[in-house]
Amino acid sequence: MDINTLSLRARSVLIAVVALLLFTPAAIFTLDEAYKASLTQATLQQLKLNSLMLISEFEFDNEAPSMPVSVRDEQLNLTDSGVYGYIKWQGELVWRSSSSLSIPVPLLPSPPQTGSEQFSEQDGLFIYIFTAEFAHSEGFSPVHFYVVYDKSSFDQERESFLKALWQGLLLLDALLLLSLLLGIKFLLKPLNRLNREIAAASDGTKGLVSSDYPIEITPLSSSINQLITHEKQQRERYKNSLSDLAHSLKTPLTVAKGEAGSLPQLIQPLNEIESIIQRQLKRAATQKPGWHAPIPVKAIAQQLLSAMAKVHAEQNLTLINNIADGFTLPMESTDLMEVLGNVLDNACKAANTQVSIYSEDTSATRDVIIEDDGPGIKEQDKQTLLTRGKRLDTYQEGQGIGMAVVSDIMASYGGRLAIESSASGGASIRLSFNRLTTLTGQ
C-alpha cells in the first residue's frame, strides 16, 4: 500500500492508533510505578507502627527479655496472617510472634545501629528493622525489632490495580478512537461535500461548485470554478474556430472540385483531401472534451444492433446486447455512436454467426467489449496495430473503415482501445475508459 495514496481518514486513524499504542503502555508503566511506590510507602508506615507496638511491649524482667503472650496487634497473633514479628538480643532470637510459628524463620538481615531503621525487600518479603536501647544491669543494651511482611498480598493488590488500569485505559482508548472517528467525519464533511459537487459538475447536473466553504478550502473551490469556467470558454472558442475553418475551406474546395471536372484524375485526390479535412476537424473537435453528463450505453447499443441487423441481413447474424442496465459513459452521444457503430460494423463483417457486446465495470475502469466469432486477428498483427503507429483500419482487408476515427475519439476521452481474442477465436475489441481521467463521479 502506497502511503501517498492513503486517505486522510486512514492517516488520522493510523496516527491515533500509533499514538495510543505508545501512550497506553507508557501511561500504565508510569501509573504502576507510582502506585507501587505509594503502596510500598503505606506498607512501610504500617510496619513502623507494628515495630513501635513491639517496642512499647518489650521489657527486661529479671535481666531477661520479656514479651506478653498476646500482643496488641492481632495480625501478629493470628497464624499465617502474613505479618510476622521477631526480636533479637545479643545476636540471639529471643522472641517470635504467634503468627510466625507455622513457618520457618527467614534469613534476617544484619540490624542497623542503635536508633536507626532499615527497610528492605528479600525473597518475597518486606523486612523492617529498628534498633532500640533498653536499660539493663550491665547498662543500656541494644535490642533489634524485626517486622516481616509477606509480599503476596502486596503483589495481589498490585495485580488487581494493573488489571483495572488496563481495562480502564483500553476502554478510554476505544472512546478516544470513537471520538476521533466522529471528529474526522465532521472535519472531512466540507471535503466530502466538495467531492460531491465536483462529481455533480462532472456529470453535468451542476454548473459550478459552491463557495461557502471553510477558509482552508475556499481557495481550492475557487480554483476549481475557474478551471471549469476556463475549460468551457476555451472549448467554445475552439469549436467556433473549427467551424470558421470548416466554412473557410468549404468554398475553395468546392471551387477546386468544380474546376477539376475536366480532369478526372484530380477528383479522387480532392475527395481524399475533403475526407482528411473532415476527419481532422472531427478529431480536433473531440480533443479534451472536458465535462460530460454520462449517457446510458445499452439503449444506444441496441439501436446500433438493430441497424446492423438490417445492414448485414444477408449474413443472418445473432446479435447479443449484454450491456448492464444503468451502465453509462461520459461521452457525447454522437461520439459514442460513432465509436460503437464502427466497431460493431467491423465485427459484423468479420463474424460467421454471432456478434456480442457487453460491459465490465471495475473500480478503475468502465469497459465495453465487442466480440465476434470470425477468423480473428493474428497476434503479430495486434502488436503491429497497437505499437507501430499503423492505422487500425488496415488490420484486415475490407474491414475497419473508420477505425482510425475510433482510435482518435477514444484517445480524446482518455480511453484505450485493445485488440484481444474472443473465446470463440474471433476478435475482441475492448474499449476501456479510465474512471479517474473521465471524472464520472460514479
Side-chain angles (χ1 to χ4, degrees):
M1 180 175 59
D2 187 359
I3 190 66
N4 293 322
T5 61
L6 201 61
S7 69
L8 295 178
R9 188 189 306 273
R11 289 169 187 254
S12 301
V13 172
L14 180 62
I15 291 173
V17 169
V18 171
L20 289 176
L21 288 176
L22 295 176
F23 167 79
T24 302
I28 287 178
F29 175 79
T30 302
L31 292 174
D32 177 50
E33 288 298 313
Y35 182 76
K36 177 183 176 182
S38 175
L39 196 59
T40 301
Q41 185 63 30
T43 302
L44 173 61
Q45 296 301 321
Q46 181 60 46
L47 297 182
K48 283 184 177 181
L49 292 175
N50 296 137
S51 177
L52 289 174
M53 185 276 301
L54 293 178
I55 293 173
S56 66
E57 297 194 57
F58 180 83
E59 62 180 355
F60 281 108
D61 185 12
N62 295 324
E63 305 300 324
S66 175
M67 285 287 290
V69 175
S70 297
V71 295
R72 288 192 293 269
D73 191 338
E74 287 301 320
Q75 286 183 308
L76 294 174
N77 297 324
L78 299 175
T79 304
D80 297 328
S81 65
V83 181
Y84 317 109
Y86 303 92
I87 300 176
K88 292 182 72 174
W89 177 59
Q90 293 182 348
E92 298 292 335
L93 183 64
V94 297
W95 179 86
R96 58 188 301 184
S97 64
S98 299
S99 61
S100 68
L101 296 177
S102 61
I103 63 172
V105 178
L107 179 63
L108 300 176
S110 300
Q113 298 294 322
T114 301
S116 300
E117 64 180 5
Q118 178 179 310
F119 181 72
S120 62
E121 181 181 347
Q122 173 184 301
D123 299 329
L125 302 171
F126 282 129
I127 301 178
Y128 176 80
I129 314 170
F130 187 84
T131 300
E133 282 189 334
F134 287 82
H136 190 262
S137 60
E138 299 177 358
F140 287 96
S141 179
V143 181
H144 312 295
F145 296 87
Y146 292 80
V147 181
V148 179
Y149 181 79
D150 190 343
K151 276 191 64 184
S152 58
S153 60
F154 177 93
D155 292 335
Q156 289 175 1
E157 187 171 352
R158 185 183 172 195
E159 288 176 3
S160 298
F161 172 77
L162 273 176
K163 182 178 179 181
L165 185 61
W166 270 109
Q167 292 174 344
L169 283 181
L170 289 177
L171 177 61
L172 181 60
D173 289 347
L175 293 176
L176 286 174
L177 282 176
L178 179 60
S179 301
L180 178 65
L181 290 175
L182 295 175
I184 292 173
K185 183 177 181 180
F186 176 75
L187 183 65
L188 296 181
K189 191 174 181 179
L191 287 176
N192 292 332
R193 182 162 67 93
L194 179 61
N195 186 50
R196 290 193 298 271
E197 290 200 31
I198 292 175
S202 73
D203 62 23
T205 59
K206 188 177 182 64
L208 300 174
V209 302
S210 305
S211 57
D212 55 336
Y213 283 100
I215 57 174
E216 294 86 358
I217 304 178
T218 299
L220 176 61
S221 63
S222 299
S223 297
I224 292 173
N225 283 335
Q226 291 175 6
L227 177 63
I228 295 174
T229 303
H230 177 73
E231 190 273 340
K232 289 181 178 179
Q233 293 174 347
Q234 186 175 15
R235 181 151 46 96
E236 191 63 30
R237 288 194 300 268
Y238 197 46
K239 287 184 177 180
N240 292 336
S241 299
L242 290 174
S243 178
D244 293 341
L245 177 60
H247 285 89
S248 299
L249 292 175
K250 183 178 181 180
T251 300
L253 189 60
T254 302
V255 172
K257 291 175 69 175
E259 293 294 332
S262 58
L263 300 172
Q265 66 272 23
L266 294 181
I267 297 297
Q268 182 63 28
L270 287 174
N271 287 335
E272 290 182 2
I273 292 174
E274 183 177 21
S275 177
I276 292 172
I277 290 173
Q278 293 301 322
R279 177 169 175 259
Q280 294 302 324
L281 286 175
K282 184 167 184 60
R283 178 180 180 181
T286 58
Q287 292 296 314
K288 300 296 181 185
W291 308 70
H292 293 290
I295 57 175
V297 178
K298 187 168 186 176
I300 292 178
Q302 188 59 48
Q303 180 182 349
L304 291 170
L305 287 176
S306 298
M308 294 299 156
K310 296 177 182 179
V311 173
H312 302 280
E314 71 283 355
Q315 293 179 253
N316 194 26
L317 297 173
T318 301
L319 305 179
I320 302 173
N321 183 1
N322 282 332
I323 298 291
D325 294 331
F327 183 81
T328 61
L329 289 175
M331 298 179 67
E332 295 284 358
S333 59
T334 53
D335 289 338
L336 179 60
M337 291 189 71
E338 181 158 7
V339 167
L340 296 182
N342 276 287
V343 179
L344 284 170
D345 184 51
N346 291 332
C348 288
K349 290 176 181 178
N352 293 322
T353 61
Q354 179 177 294
V355 173
S356 63
I357 178 172
Y358 61 95
S359 59
E360 287 185 359
D361 201 350
T362 69
S363 61
T365 62
R366 302 172 75 86
D367 299 349
V368 174
I369 300 94
I370 298 174
E371 295 183 345
D372 62 66
D373 60 352
I377 305 171
K378 296 179 180 179
E379 193 65 34
Q380 61 268 27
D381 291 336
K382 295 178 187 177
Q383 297 302 319
T384 300
L385 297 174
L386 293 177
T387 63
R388 296 186 183 178
K390 290 192 177 183
R391 293 186 179 181
L392 294 176
D393 56 8
T394 64
Y395 72 80
Q396 183 171 332
E397 184 178 357
Q399 281 193 316
I401 303 301
M403 287 296 285
V405 175
V406 171
S407 179
D408 292 338
I409 294 175
M410 287 293 296
S412 72
Y413 283 91
R416 296 179 300 280
L417 188 150
I419 303 175
E420 303 169 349
S421 297
S422 66
S424 60
S428 175
I429 306 299
R430 178 179 292 268
L431 309 173
S432 183
F433 296 84
N434 193 314
R435 282 180 176 272
L436 299 179
T437 56
T438 54
L439 293 176
T440 66
Q442 300 299 307

